Amino acid sequence: MDNIYLDYAATTPVDEEVFREIRKYSTVEGGLFGNPSSLHSFGRVAYTALENARDAVAREFNCHQSEVFFFSSATEANNFALRAVAEKYRKNTGSTPHIVVSETEHASVLETAKDMAVSGNAEISIVRPEEVEKTVRANTALISIMRVQNETGDVRDIAALSKEIIKKKNGMYPLVHTDNVQGYLYGQNVQELGVDMMTVSSHKIYGPKGAAALYIRGSRFDIKDIILPLMTGGGQEKGMRAGTENVQAIVGFAAALIISEKTRKKEFVRIKKLSERFIARIKEGISDVDIQRGDSESFCLGRSPHIISIRFSGVENFDKALDMEGIAASAGSACAQRAAKSTSLLRGSIRFSFGKYTTQDEVDEAVRRIILVYQNMTGKRSI
Ligand code: PLP
């Protein structure tokens, strides 16, 4: 067996059916490559494709299509969520906004929050996930907390949090934003989650890189009263995010989201079985392993089965040793690994993440190689 990919939380391959859609909107043969802002026939079909994609995303999110905005990545959408809400809050109230983020957020939220604190654009509280709710103050404009933690797989009860925050709301504030990039096995229904904003990324759900969606609730308040657009230009995305829309990526994203929602319940069961088998077999072969969790038991609903973080004691650079044996896993989140400053929660642990192309044979072979590498590095034999 060749290299085994166990890093689906970093990115996923594009689904073949999705890829066929993308081609249609990219090439001369496909004929659908137009700029959606152009008024001629090529532009009109691209515009129709864009709006059909928005309708599809809205159906899967269970929201109105006017509440869906496309961005180039979840990083961009998360930056926008924090910065654009803060700017509008300042404009609405004349005072400095307070933003609460959990300390386990992805760098795209955490580093944005820190940057806003340094530049004085907001007062920032970075707290344990279970402390988010009680950190709310009179001037809290936004809370941002991930649905499924990208390194540990911890699942948060965002619906319960949203309910509590609604009781504390003064007018529209505080708004609740959730980064649901890793939450696809649990669905993307914004009404069930009760959030005001939600981020989802295409390349984590078998869509192409270069597309993401930000949901902004428009049913309670006018979106223009919540958000101050940051990007000036051609006024695309109803003035929220200027720049020609990446139609082929967005169409691919919508197609991937439809497939993901249709298949996720079956996938959940299949991946759960694989992940339990993986953990049991690793534990059989190596005595000194610890499945890593971040959240307190009382706050967390469990672990998303597609993410497993394991601490192996007595080994350094284990991810690199595994890579040499053809196992692609990661030490923390992908972006934290190359960054000058790591924001990983999991120093010393390896994150294995499973996806729809992961097979039982791959899992068994991966376990065999992992145990072998561990034994070679530590000199410890099987227990
Ligand atoms: N949020 C979470 C939870 C993630 O796991 C990631 C990617 O690893 C991101 C945001 C950033 O996504 P993107 O690569 O689309 O910027």
Side-chain angles (χ1 to χ4, degrees), residues 298-309:
S298 61
F299 184 72
C300 181
L301 293 177
R303 179 179 63 78
S304 181
H306 76 301
I307 297 178
I308 308 157
S309 283

Side-chain angles (χ1 to χ4, degrees), residues 215-362:
Y215 159 77
I216 308 174
R217 188 179 289 280
S219 56
R220 293 184 190 137
F221 299 95
D222 193 327
I223 290 173
K224 291 219 155 48
D225 291 332
I226 299 172
I227 293 288
L228 191 71
L230 303 173
M231 202 96 123
T232 45
Q236 290 89 344
E237 294 297 294
K238 295 189 218 79
M240 290 291 163
R241 197 262 181 189
T244 301
E245 296 91 341
N246 188 348
V247 180
Q248 58 267 55
I250 290 168
V251 165
F253 172 31
L257 185 63
I258 292 169
I259 297 169
S260 169
E261 283 295 297
K262 213 184 283 170
T263 54
R264 72 177 170 83
K265 288 192 176 138
K266 261 196 174 156
E267 265 302 277
F268 186 97
V269 174
R270 197 186 71 84
I271 290 181
K272 187 162 185 283
K273 263 196 202 140
L274 287 179
S275 109
E276 284 166 358
R277 182 181 179 98
F278 178 77
I279 292 171
R281 294 192 166 206
I282 291 281
K283 283 184 170 168
E284 269 167 34
I286 305 174
S287 56
D288 279 350
V289 289
D290 223 358
I291 309 303
Q292 297 291 291
R293 302 290 297 280
D295 291 2
S296 70
E297 294 286 323
S298 61
F299 184 72
C300 181
L301 293 177
R303 179 179 63 78
S304 181
H306 76 301
I307 297 178
I308 308 157
S309 283
I310 306 183
R311 186 183 295 277
F312 296 85
S313 64
V315 283
E316 296 269 330
N317 295 321
F318 197 44
D319 58 323
K320 294 185 184 69
L322 291 178
D323 187 26
M324 287 174 68
E325 282 302 312
I327 308 278
S330 65
S333 68
C335 51
Q337 290 180 79
R338 283 200 212 281
K341 186 164 57 92
S342 171
T343 54
S344 174
L345 287 179
L346 295 174
R347 278 179 201 95
S349 297
I350 307 293
R351 178 186 69 183
F352 301 95
S353 48
F354 294 3
K356 72 174 171 182
Y357 303 109
T358 307
T359 63
Q360 186 169 302
D361 283 351
E362 277 186 323

Side-chain angles (χ1 to χ4, degrees), residues 122-177:
E123 295 164 10
I124 300 290
S125 297
I126 300 175
V127 299
R128 299 262 326 140
E130 61 271 24
E131 285 167 359
V132 161
E133 186 203 325
K134 66 174 188 235
T135 310
V136 166
R137 313 202 288 241
N139 66 331
T140 305
L142 183 72
I143 289 167
S144 184
I145 177 165
M146 246 192 260
R147 169 88 170 289
V148 170
Q149 214 289 330
N150 56 304
E151 293 181 343
T152 59
D154 284 324
V155 185
R156 282 73 184 267
D157 193 348
I158 300 296
L161 178 69
S162 298
K163 271 192 196 129
E164 289 308 308
I165 297 300
I166 281 182
K167 291 183 207 157
K168 294 189 172 183
K169 270 190 198 271
N170 176 13
M172 78 174 78
Y173 300 115
L175 297 159
V176 178
H177 167 250

Side-chain angles (χ1 to χ4, degrees), residues 9-10 73-75 78 106 108 146 148 150 179 181-182 201 203-204:
S73 62
T75 297
N78 285 343
H106 183 264
S108 54
M146 246 192 260
V148 170
N150 56 304
D179 172 342
V181 166
Q182 299 291 351
S201 179
H203 74 101
K204 311 286 186 174

Side-chain angles (χ1 to χ4, degrees), residues 3-58:
N3 292 349
I4 300 172
Y5 187 74
L6 295 181
D7 205 11
Y8 284 82
T11 196
T12 57
V14 174
D15 181 287
E16 286 292 341
E17 188 183 328
V18 168
F19 193 61
R20 282 193 291 277
E21 278 299 294
I22 295 170
R23 270 191 72 82
K24 282 198 261 170
Y25 292 90
S26 309
T27 60
V28 173
E29 293 85 14
L32 303 170
F33 60 86
N35 184 327
S37 295
S38 300
L39 296 179
H40 50 59
S41 59
F42 286 79
R44 290 198 303 273
V45 286
Y47 180 76
T48 302
L50 179 65
E51 292 313 306
N52 286 344
R54 199 183 311 279
D55 281 345
V57 171

